[in-house]
Amino acid sequence: MSATSMSVIPSPSDAPPASGGTGRRLPAVLVAVVVAALFASAWGAKDPTTWLLETVWVMVGLPLAILLRRRFPLSGLLCGLLGVHALVLIVGGHYTYAEVPAGDWVRDWFGLERNPYDRFGHLMQGFVPAILVRELLVRTSPLRGSRWLAPLTVCACLAFSAVFEMLEWAAAVIGGQAADAFLATQGDVWDTQWDMFCALIGATCSMLLLGRLHDRSLTRLPSAAKD
């Protein structure tokens, strides 16, 4: 990871004031889209239990972000990424990850042995939370401007991925064969390791590709929100 891209992060006191209506409208639009998609996905979900397990993160995270929007508003980049990630979870919950039609198309086009939507979901599990972790560390810790910011962010995402795999393990123990749709292993004995590896790749790519863009997005936050 490039230390140069991570080393200069504007101080809150150097940031320009937040833009007006556009910045405020984005979260509202994203909330409306995600809530509509969530309700639509519940209708005719292939496996209601899997739908609940996959979308519970949206049901918890969205109200939390709304409740904290004044005390801790999120950057525009993070809001957008969280909205996209929510849609990925919602689609996976509706069809189950092993049977998402778009994944079947990709499998057939490239001659793959399995539906790759699960792999994509775990890439997103690293890519998006990396910006969330980075934002929390930049705004609440002494790591702003440190070359340790990116490595520690990636480590946090990999740790979360490992915890998620433990939750899947618990679901398998409790639910038995009923948890197969949630696990989406598709017969791969190395699925757990692949899931964590995909999250690692996603988090690393996020840091390399979005670090500077995230810094600019942070400067648009109201000054009071960054203190």
Side-chain angles (χ1 to χ4, degrees):
M1 280 167 230
S2 171
T4 303
S5 65
M6 307 299 302
S7 59
V8 181
I9 299 177
S11 168
S13 60
D14 298 332
S19 58
T22 303
R24 289 193 295 269
R25 284 196 298 269
L26 175 62
V29 171
L30 289 172
V31 168
V33 170
V34 169
V35 170
L38 184 62
F39 277 101
S41 71
W43 184 265
K46 185 173 183 63
D47 183 329
T49 300
T50 298
W51 176 84
L52 178 61
L53 291 172
E54 297 292 359
T55 60
V56 67
W57 304 98
V58 181
M59 297 179 194
V60 172
L62 185 59
L64 185 62
I66 293 173
L67 288 173
L68 296 177
R69 70 188 185 284
R70 295 188 183 278
R71 184 176 178 183
F72 197 88
L74 303 178
S75 66
L77 176 63
L78 180 55
C79 286
L81 288 173
L82 289 174
V84 172
H85 195 191
L87 294 177
V88 170
L89 294 171
I90 288 169
V91 171
H94 178 77
Y95 292 104
T96 77
Y97 276 76
E99 300 184 42
V100 173
D104 287 339
W105 300 336
V106 173
R107 179 197 61 202
D108 295 341
W109 287 340
F110 292 98
L112 304 177
E113 295 182 357
R114 55 173 282 158
N115 186 312
Y117 192 82
D118 181 57
R119 301 281 192 246
F120 172 68
H122 283 277
L123 278 169
M124 291 295 288
Q125 189 187 69
F127 192 85
V128 175
I131 297 301
L132 173 60
V133 173
R134 187 180 190 270
E135 184 152 324
L136 292 174
L137 291 177
V138 167
R139 294 171 61 182
T140 66
S141 81
L143 286 173
R144 181 173 59 235
S146 170
R147 63 184 59 196
W148 283 101
L149 178 62
L152 289 176
T153 296
V154 172
C155 287
C157 292
L158 185 56
F160 173 77
S161 179
V163 170
F164 187 83
E165 294 305 317
M166 293 180 190
L167 294 176
E168 288 191 342
W169 169 44
V173 171
I174 296 170
Q177 289 187 342
D180 287 349
F182 175 58
L183 296 178
T185 59
Q186 302 181 66
D188 186 356
V189 296
W190 301 108
D191 187 70
T192 297
Q193 288 78 10
W194 269 110
D195 288 349
M196 291 187 289
F197 179 68
C198 287
L200 172 62
I201 295 300
T204 302
C205 289
S206 185
M207 291 295 94
L208 291 174
L209 297 174
L210 299 182
R212 290 186 181 277
L213 182 61
H214 188 215
D215 293 341
R216 290 195 293 272
S217 186
L218 286 170
T219 65
R220 299 187 183 99
L221 285 169
S223 298
K226 291 175 280 189
D227 293 338

